[in-house]
Amino acid sequence: MDANAVAELEKAGVKVDAPDRLFVAVEWDENQRVIPVGARAQVRAGEQLAHVHLQPISKLWTGDTKPPSFAKTPPLEYHPFFILIEATAAGYCRAVRNTETDQEFERLYRHLVRRPDGTDRNPLFSYLQGAVRLYMSLRDVSQAEFEAVVLRLHQSAKHHQTHVGSINYFQDVLRGVLGA
């Protein structure tokens, strides 16, 4: 948890008690290109936008809580974490008017577990990181919990893949998260 990020959001009027109602919104440069999320992220809460400084994922790990099995439906207490990440992914795809393939989501989630503070050529990666950083700024999350959640998302994208170029993960999961 990051008290500074919480204070920034609260000062901007964002309610931090419901992370599942937040997502990291896409920002554009003057040439209409996506600006990857850096130290600062644009957070959307309904129609409200706020900017917040976020620490790297590795600096936000708290404690050593062991997650339960996510082999089936994850326990309810983890749903806000999943929803914030998936809402950010859905919002990104809607904003850029490009649906990433199941294979690309699978790759990005795998990369996020392996290199949580790394970079990627696909700007969506920085938005997935931003979503994780935002959630972990609001709630205590251990490294094991982070890895379990992101690996479960990786498995979900992999499970939905039926062929090269399929977008079933977006159509079956993400589209419903924002009502896209």
Side-chain angles (χ1 to χ4, degrees), residues 44-107:
R44 181 173 287 279
E47 293 302 312
Q48 183 180 17
L49 287 174
H51 286 92
V52 63
H53 287 83
L54 300 172
Q55 297 293 319
I57 293 170
S58 63
K59 293 195 184 288
L60 291 166
W61 288 320
T62 306
D64 58 0
T65 302
K66 302 289 182 226
S69 170
F70 290 161
K72 297 189 181 194
T73 302
L76 286 176
E77 64 265 23
Y78 288 90
H79 285 199
F81 198 2
F82 283 96
I83 291 170
L84 197 157
I85 296 168
E86 291 181 325
T88 297
Y92 178 91
C93 289
R94 183 170 66 183
V96 301
R97 297 176 187 200
N98 179 38
T99 303
E100 296 291 351
T101 65
D102 302 330
Q103 186 176 11
E104 181 65 356
F105 272 112
E106 181 186 349
R107 184 188 75 77

Side-chain angles (χ1 to χ4, degrees), residues 22-60:
L22 307 175
F23 69 94
V24 178
V26 174
E27 290 193 79
W28 307 90
D29 69 13
E30 60 279 352
N31 297 317
Q32 293 299 71
R33 287 182 297 217
V34 173
I35 300 171
V37 176
R40 185 182 68 93
Q42 180 173 249
V43 176
R44 181 173 287 279
E47 293 302 312
Q48 183 180 17
L49 287 174
H51 286 92
V52 63
H53 287 83
L54 300 172
Q55 297 293 319
I57 293 170
S58 63
K59 293 195 184 288
L60 291 166

Side-chain angles (χ1 to χ4, degrees), residues 117-146:
D117 295 333
T119 60
D120 191 82
R121 69 186 180 279
N122 186 337
L124 173 55
F125 181 75
S126 72
Y127 284 84
L128 297 174
Q129 278 178 319
V132 169
R133 292 163 55 206
L134 176 59
Y135 185 85
M136 292 176 66
S137 294
L138 304 177
R139 301 288 184 270
D140 289 339
V141 177
S142 70
Q143 182 176 355
E145 289 173 304
F146 155 76

